[in-house]
Amino acid sequence: MNTITDTNFNFPKQKSVYKGKVREVYKINDDLLVMIATDRLSAFDVVMPKGIPYKGQILNQIATKMMKATEDLVPNWLLASPDPNVAVGHLCKPFKVEMVIRGYLSGHAAREYKAGKRMLCGVAMPEGMKENDKFPNPIITPATKAEMGDHDEDISREDILKRGIVSEADYLVLEDYTRKLFQRGSEIAASRGLILVDTKYEFGKTKEGKIVLIDEIHTPDSSRYFYADGYQERQDRGEAQKQLSKEFVRQWLIANNFQGLKGQTVPEMSDEYITTVSERYIELYENITGETFVKADVSNIQERIERNVLAYLK
């Protein structure tokens, strides 16, 4: 299967390229960003050796749909999506924190809770909870943004302000936007028979100083979803929740003795396994958006992207 795991474009008036774990961002003439969602798969902050067919298209299309579905609440960076894998938007200076918000005790929060911790990023978690229980109110647990190859780290609101990572005035806006987006995302999920469990948002400032939502939103890479049907019954019986997220990849890696720790090697992903991951991502897309996934032409992805971006930039 053809996948796109690396790009090396040279667009007109291109100033620089930033390569993240999954996305590659081209800066055009100090006012535009061209963001390309590759098929790279990252788990435990490690990029897997093989790409996942259609993953970049899926992430880009969910994110652009969700930006449009929330732009009445929170301004965002997006201008257009000239290609299935590409978003183009305003150049922004990103805040160096990710705003993680959790409605349920799952994933990283559940692992910390199991280890006996009752504070996460300076926020208290109630006693007597079990994994995947709903929090009385959603909690915001920020993380510092890591460079490629490093791990994002939990950080408290107090530390963010004390270290001057974000000013207090700006941080209040980030918190307000995070809660509004999570509320809307939860409503959209509920309309699709899903529960938005937790997610992360990233924000930046435009050249005019306006705070806007950037990067991805409500995708399976940045969010965890449960199926609403049978959620309570599974909790009551102490069963694992049926979920839509990248967690199934993390669980497969854990089962194969990999958690991104020093000295561990990434297990071999067979073509069959990669196909199942691709199929799961398509299932995620269709459940999250309520629309049938239309596969883009992948005969020459690089050429297709270049052609579409050049046409847009003209």
Side-chain angles (χ1 to χ4, degrees):
M1 290 292 284
N2 283 348
T3 59
I4 185 164
T5 55
D6 190 36
T7 71
N8 194 19
F9 297 118
N10 195 357
F11 298 120
K13 298 182 181 173
Q14 182 175 312
K15 291 286 184 79
S16 63
V17 186
Y18 166 77
K19 301 204 172 195
K21 294 183 193 104
V22 173
R23 286 172 176 75
E24 306 198 340
V25 185
Y26 290 78
K27 186 162 120 182
I28 311 292
N29 202 23
D30 288 331
D31 60 2
L32 281 188
L33 291 180
V34 173
M35 186 187 281
I36 298 168
T38 71
D39 295 325
R40 293 196 294 263
L41 175 64
S42 154
F44 298 115
D45 293 318
V46 175
V47 175
M48 302 293 120
K50 291 179 181 174
I52 306 299
Y54 303 107
K55 179 176 175 285
Q57 179 189 347
I58 287 164
L59 293 191
N60 183 59
Q61 291 186 333
I62 292 174
T64 51
K65 283 176 192 295
M66 290 291 180
M67 292 238 171
K68 291 193 172 85
T70 56
E71 64 190 2
D72 60 316
L73 281 182
V74 172
N76 63 57
W77 77 292
L78 186 67
L79 286 168
S81 178
D83 179 90
N85 286 63
V86 180
V88 179
H90 298 285
L91 173 69
C92 298
K93 188 177 183 207
F95 288 100
K96 288 191 161 65
V97 290
E98 293 183 342
M99 298 299 284
V100 181
I101 182 163
R102 304 173 184 279
Y104 294 73
L105 181 67
S106 295
H108 173 62
R111 290 190 278 272
E112 294 288 281
Y113 199 90
K114 234 173 237 174
K117 295 181 185 171
R118 293 297 177 267
M119 293 288 282
L120 187 60
C121 303
V123 181
M125 298 185 285
E127 286 292 344
M129 290 185 76
K130 60 181 196 285
E131 188 170 356
N132 301 331
D133 276 352
K134 188 176 185 178
F135 285 118
N137 293 296
I139 63 171
I140 293 178
T141 59
T144 55
K145 274 218 44 81
E147 292 301 316
M148 189 148 174
D150 292 333
H151 290 276
D152 296 342
E153 286 179 13
D154 291 343
I155 189 169
S156 67
R157 174 189 185 162
E158 290 66 34
D159 275 352
I160 289 169
L161 299 181
K162 195 164 76 188
R163 285 161 55 181
I165 298 171
V166 181
S167 73
E168 186 164 11
D170 285 351
Y171 194 77
L172 291 173
V173 176
L174 300 190
E175 280 196 329
D176 177 52
Y177 281 177
T178 297
R179 293 193 186 282
K180 283 178 175 161
L181 289 168
F182 189 68
Q183 177 63 33
R184 175 66 58 83
S186 300
E187 290 162 7
I188 294 169
S191 75
R192 313 257 189 265
L194 300 173
I195 294 168
L196 180 58
V197 177
D198 52 44
T199 191
K200 71 179 174 69
Y201 303 113
E202 295 186 40
F203 298 95
K205 257 190 184 171
T206 63
K207 285 198 283 193
E208 296 73 41
K210 183 176 170 184
I211 295 175
V212 297
L213 174 68
I214 61 172
D215 202 43
E216 61 184 335
I217 162 178
H218 300 156
T219 72
D221 270 23
S222 65
S223 319
R224 193 186 320 267
Y225 291 91
F226 290 157
Y227 287 96
D229 188 34
Y231 162 79
Q232 198 52 56
E233 291 76 6
R234 286 188 284 274
Q235 279 305 93
D236 294 344
R237 291 196 294 263
E239 292 172 7
Q241 284 300 331
K242 199 175 167 213
Q243 62 173 294
L244 278 175
S245 74
K246 203 169 61 172
E247 187 67 19
F248 72 93
V249 176
R250 292 190 200 99
Q251 294 302 335
W252 181 85
L253 289 168
I254 290 169
N256 285 276
N257 305 311
F258 183 81
Q259 289 188 64
L261 304 174
K262 223 179 180 153
Q264 294 183 334
T265 45
V266 179
E268 173 65 28
M269 286 186 169
S270 68
D271 290 349
E272 291 75 25
Y273 182 69
I274 283 173
T275 300
T276 65
V277 175
S278 182
E279 285 164 357
R280 285 291 290 274
Y281 267 94
I282 290 170
E283 181 195 353
L284 293 168
Y285 175 94
E286 295 185 339
N287 278 279
I288 291 166
T289 64
E291 296 171 15
T292 302
F293 180 66
V294 180
K295 293 176 176 179
D297 175 11
V298 292
S299 53
N300 192 329
I301 308 173
Q302 302 263 2
E303 191 184 272
R304 187 200 76 206
I305 289 174
E306 186 169 37
R307 186 177 64 244
N308 287 333
V309 172
L310 289 174
Y312 176 80
L313 293 176
K314 272 188 185 132

